[in-house]
Amino acid sequence: MADAAKRHGAHFRFKEEIVAILKSESRVLGVRLASGEELTADVVVNVAGPWSGALNKMAGVGSDFTVEIAPMRQEVHHVDAPPGMESGPVIGDLDVGVYMRSTPGGGFLVGGTEPECDDMQWIENPDQANMSRTQDLYDAQVTRAARRFPDLKVPPVAKGIAGVYDVSSDWTPIYDRSELDGFYLAIGTSGNQFKNAPGAGLIMAKLIDYVEGGGDHDTHPLVVTGSHTGLPIDLATFSRKRQRNEDSSGTVMG
Ligand SMILES: Cc1cc2nc3c(=O)[nH]c(=O)nc-3n(C[C@H](O)[C@H](O)[C@H](O)COP(=O)(O)OP(=O)(O)OC[C@H]3O[C@@H](n4cnc5c(N)ncnc54)[C@H](O)[C@@H]3O)c2cc1C
């Protein structure tokens, strides 16, 4: 994806931190980096993941959100796949409280689906999250997976990773404009938008063209047609001002 973006003129600046959003009274003007360098831009898109709340604060946006976002710590564990398991889709099992997916080379990933018995690990500052897996959560999650797959072995030593989700209150992303003209939002990805990234990029590009061309997305939300499916995607679903999605499972499964 990065190569494709470069072919279309994207330029990456790694190891640079945005410390301020430049703006006039009503419109974004660019960003300031920690080095002091200022980059001017007609449009700025907040894609800061678990740090998206901090970027919104810099831009002074969020007062009209009906959906809240907050960082949440998570762990995903890695074991050998149970015998006979073939590669296949992700399995979300809300009864035992885990999702599972086989990986190339006979591995098996096990993550949590926020069961009531586990405390949700909301965190203030993603930079201070414990990024090491823990034995307790490994034991709990992999043992739960073994209830569904009784042949799954639960080795005594934990393997896996820890990370931070950018969770919205209905576990649905926000793909939208903000109240500051030119400042857009692709945030609240709720642990499930890596695979959707190319589609998210396409709908953000169409949304930005629509709004910058004078469209009022808040009153007349853009409907995009999927280029492969031909199906309509009503972007009101991802509005910062939407009513909470009552059909959400309230978990990473969306
Ligand atoms: C443990 C774990 C497992 C997951 N598993 C899956 C999965 O199986 N399938 C799936 O589809 N999704 C999965 N996800 C979710 C997926 O990773 C996210 O939806 C996706 O990464 C969101 O992409 P993003 O580019 O919006 O944000 P991110 O990938 O979070 O990137 C945000 C970037 O912004 C940068 N940034 C933040 N603040 C600043 C600043 N001030 N200045 C400059 N840069 C800044 C950060 O350094 C970071 O590079 C998982 C997430 C976690 C944590």
Side-chain angles (χ1 to χ4, degrees), residues 16-18 47-51 55 164-165 189 191-195:
E16 304 270 18
E17 185 188 0
I18 292 168
V47 287
W51 295 265
L55 266 278
V164 181
Y165 291 167
T189 52
N192 57 41
Q193 291 294 297
F194 179 78
K195 59 193 153 307

Side-chain angles (χ1 to χ4, degrees), residues 194-216:
F194 179 78
K195 59 193 153 307
N196 295 346
L202 282 174
I203 61 175
M204 286 306 294
K206 288 188 191 298
L207 171 68
I208 291 167
D209 282 346
Y210 174 61
V211 175
E212 295 302 310
D216 187 340

Side-chain angles (χ1 to χ4, degrees), residues 16-19 33 46-52 54-55 58 72 74-76 90 99 101 109 161-166 186-187 189-197 252:
E16 304 270 18
E17 185 188 0
I18 292 168
V19 293
L33 304 179
N46 181 353
V47 287
W51 295 265
S52 59
L55 266 278
M58 289 180 205
M72 179 192 276
Q74 286 286 333
E75 293 185 27
V76 179
V90 65
Y99 69 84
R101 179 167 67 77
L109 296 179
I161 57 154
V164 181
Y165 291 167
D166 178 31
I187 61 176
T189 52
S190 303
N192 57 41
Q193 291 294 297
F194 179 78
K195 59 193 153 307
N196 295 346
V252 67

Side-chain angles (χ1 to χ4, degrees), residues 10-93:
H11 177 63
F12 290 86
R13 299 279 302 257
F14 295 111
K15 308 275 180 203
E16 304 270 18
E17 185 188 0
I18 292 168
V19 293
I21 303 293
L22 308 175
K23 55 179 185 167
S24 65
E25 219 159 85
S26 61
R27 181 151 191 111
V28 79
L29 299 174
V31 299
R32 182 180 304 126
L33 304 179
S35 64
E37 185 183 355
E38 294 190 347
L39 305 174
T40 55
D42 295 333
V43 161
V44 172
V45 185
N46 181 353
V47 287
W51 295 265
S52 59
L55 266 278
N56 285 342
K57 211 177 266 179
M58 289 180 205
V61 304
S63 64
D64 61 354
F65 285 28
T66 55
V67 181
E68 289 168 19
I69 50 164
M72 179 192 276
R73 185 182 175 281
Q74 286 286 333
E75 293 185 27
V76 179
H77 301 115
H78 187 263
V79 288
D80 289 341
M85 167 68 69
E86 292 176 7
S87 60
V90 65
I91 304 162
D93 190 331

